[in-house]
Amino acid sequence: MLQVNDLHKSYQVGSERYEVLKGVNFEIAAGEFVGIMGASGSGKTTLLNCISCYQPSDSGSILLAGEEIAKLDEVTLAEVRNQKLGFVFQDFLLLDGLSVRENILLPAIISGCVSDKEELRADQLCDIFGLAKIKAKYPAEISGGEKQRTAVARALVNGPLMILADEPTGNLDSKSSRAVIDSFLQAKAEMQATILIVTHDSYAASFCDRVIILRDGVVWKNLRRGNGSRMDFQDALLDAVREMGKE
C-alpha cells in the first residue's frame, strides 16, 4: 500500500542546514494499523508531511499503491489528497459553521460530488462511530472525543486508501483517547482501513499492529505486536523508549 524508500529531508535555517530525515525506509501493507514513535525532533511529523506531500522531500521516493505521488502535478496531487488519503489532525480542524454530518461530508463537498452514495456513507459513518444522535449539532456543542471521532469519520467518507493521523489523541483525556482509538480499530475491522498514526503516547501506540520508532532521522526499531497482549506490547514499547534514552 505505502512504500517509503531512502527518504531525506532537511531544513535551511540561516546559514545552517539541519537534516531531519536521513534515509527512512519502510513499507505498510493494506489493512495495517501502524504507529510512528520517536523523541521530539526525530522527524515524525516531518515524515507525515512528506508522505502527504505537504512538504517536499529532498530525495527518495514515496509510493502509494505503486504510484509515486511526489511526481504528480498540483491538481492531480490535490485529487489524491482528497480521494486517496484521509487526514486526522490533533486540533480536529472541524468547521464551526457546519454540523457534525456536514463536516463528515466536507471532502465530498470539496470534490463536488455529494450524491446519494456519499449521503448514505456519511449516515453509516455516524452510526459506526456513535455520532448518530449528535450529527445535527455543531462542533462547539460536542466534546473533544466526539470532535475527533467526527474527524475520523470525515477522513473515511471518500473511501481513501490510507488514513494519516498526527497525534490524534494529543489533546484528549484518557476516556476520549480510548474512544478515538476504538474508532480507528473499528475502521480497520469493519472498513479494512489502512492507518498510519504519529504519536508520542505508548498507550495509543500499543493498539497498533506495528510501531516504527524513529531516532535521529532513521528507522531505529520496527516492533510488531504479534499474538501477545496489548499490555505486553506497551511494555515492549516502553522498554524500547528507555533503551533509546540510554543510548
Side-chain angles (χ1 to χ4, degrees):
M1 176 62 71
L2 179 72
Q3 292 177 285
V4 176
N5 303 312
D6 197 26
L7 198 67
H8 290 256
K9 174 64 180 177
S10 58
Y11 295 100
Q12 189 79 32
V13 182
S15 60
E16 298 291 329
R17 192 168 188 82
Y18 298 94
E19 195 173 9
V20 180
L21 302 179
K22 305 174 183 177
V24 173
N25 294 277
F26 65 87
E27 295 184 11
I28 296 176
E32 265 197 302
F33 182 12
V34 177
I36 302 281
M37 292 186 71
S40 296
S42 60
K44 303 186 300 297
T45 296
T46 295
L47 174 61
L48 212 61
N49 287 336
C50 287
I51 290 171
S52 60
C53 294
Y54 282 118
Q55 290 181 339
S57 58
D58 297 337
S59 62
S61 63
I62 301 158
L63 281 76
L64 180 66
E67 183 176 37
E68 192 165 352
I69 57 177
K71 292 185 176 180
L72 300 175
D73 62 71
E74 283 299 322
V75 173
T76 307
L77 186 56
E79 291 175 355
V80 167
R81 291 193 190 115
N82 185 264
Q83 297 172 14
K84 296 184 179 181
L85 293 173
F87 298 93
V88 180
F89 303 96
Q90 182 176 354
D91 296 324
F92 320 129
L93 296 186
L94 302 180
L95 296 186
D96 292 336
L98 299 182
S99 67
V100 164
R101 187 175 184 275
E102 289 166 341
N103 267 287
I104 292 170
L105 278 167
L106 189 58
I109 293 170
I110 290 172
S111 66
C113 182
V114 186
S115 65
D116 290 344
K117 177 183 175 182
E118 282 72 32
E119 299 268 8
L120 177 61
R121 188 172 180 84
D123 288 331
Q124 289 172 336
L125 289 166
C126 284
D127 291 337
I128 290 171
F129 296 130
L131 301 168
K133 292 182 179 179
I134 63 165
K135 63 184 178 182
K137 290 187 176 183
Y138 291 86
E141 302 173 306
I142 63 178
S143 70
E146 289 167 337
K147 289 177 184 178
Q148 198 60 299
R149 278 185 281 146
T150 300
V152 175
R154 179 183 61 191
L156 287 162
V157 75
N158 277 350
L161 295 176
M162 174 172 281
I163 294 175
L164 303 177
D166 190 6
E167 298 285 4
T169 61
N171 286 336
L172 304 176
D173 58 33
S174 58
K175 182 179 179 181
S176 296
S177 294
R178 182 56 197 264
V180 171
I181 293 165
D182 284 343
S183 71
F184 283 126
L185 295 174
Q186 276 185 288
K188 171 181 162 59
E190 298 182 26
M191 308 174 79
Q192 293 75 53
T194 305
I195 305 161
L196 177 63
I197 69 167
V198 161
T199 183
H200 68 280
D201 181 9
S202 62
Y203 174 75
S206 68
F207 289 87
C208 295
D209 302 319
R210 181 163 56 97
V211 174
I212 297 165
I213 300 179
L214 297 183
R215 182 186 180 208
D216 296 332
V218 297
V219 174
W220 180 65
K221 283 200 174 183
N222 197 328
L223 301 178
R224 190 174 294 277
R225 180 173 172 182
N227 296 321
S229 70
R230 185 202 63 77
M231 292 182 67
D232 287 342
F233 190 40
Q234 185 175 5
D235 287 342
L237 293 172
L238 289 170
D239 287 343
V241 169
R242 282 190 287 267
E243 182 185 348
M244 182 168 58
K246 290 176 182 177
E247 293 185 4

